[in-house]
Amino acid sequence: MKELMDKIEQQNLTVADYNTIIKIIAASLQRGAIRPEECTTVGRMYEKLNFTMQKLNKENEDAGLSKTDN
């Protein structure tokens, strides 16, 4: 059972994975690997990932504050 749970956990995306995906998209665009007609779709995904990362970072910062500090 532990082995199965470990395999499932390895499939989950982590914060580091999201950051890596953002970097891959940026590098691909800089190098011209994305065709012009794909830019809108890729840009939307980039924005979603970026927003998610900002939200997670904000939640992590807020988690460090006590309720009286909020």
Side-chain angles (χ1 to χ4, degrees), residues 3-65:
E3 184 178 319
L4 177 62
M5 294 306 290
D6 288 343
K7 285 184 180 182
I8 290 172
E9 184 62 33
Q10 290 173 358
Q11 300 304 313
N12 292 333
L13 291 175
T14 65
V15 172
D17 293 332
Y18 286 123
N19 279 325
T20 300
I21 294 167
I22 289 170
K23 290 176 184 175
I24 290 169
I25 292 171
S28 298
L29 286 168
Q30 287 173 346
R31 295 176 185 163
I34 308 284
R35 289 181 282 172
E37 62 271 14
E38 299 168 332
C39 284
T40 301
T41 304
V42 173
R44 284 185 189 136
M45 181 58 62
Y46 180 85
E47 290 298 321
K48 284 182 182 181
L49 288 168
N50 225 5
F51 176 78
T52 300
M53 291 308 304
Q54 290 173 359
K55 183 177 164 188
L56 288 172
N57 288 335
K58 176 76 170 135
E59 287 173 1
N60 287 338
E61 289 172 11
D62 289 347
L65 300 174

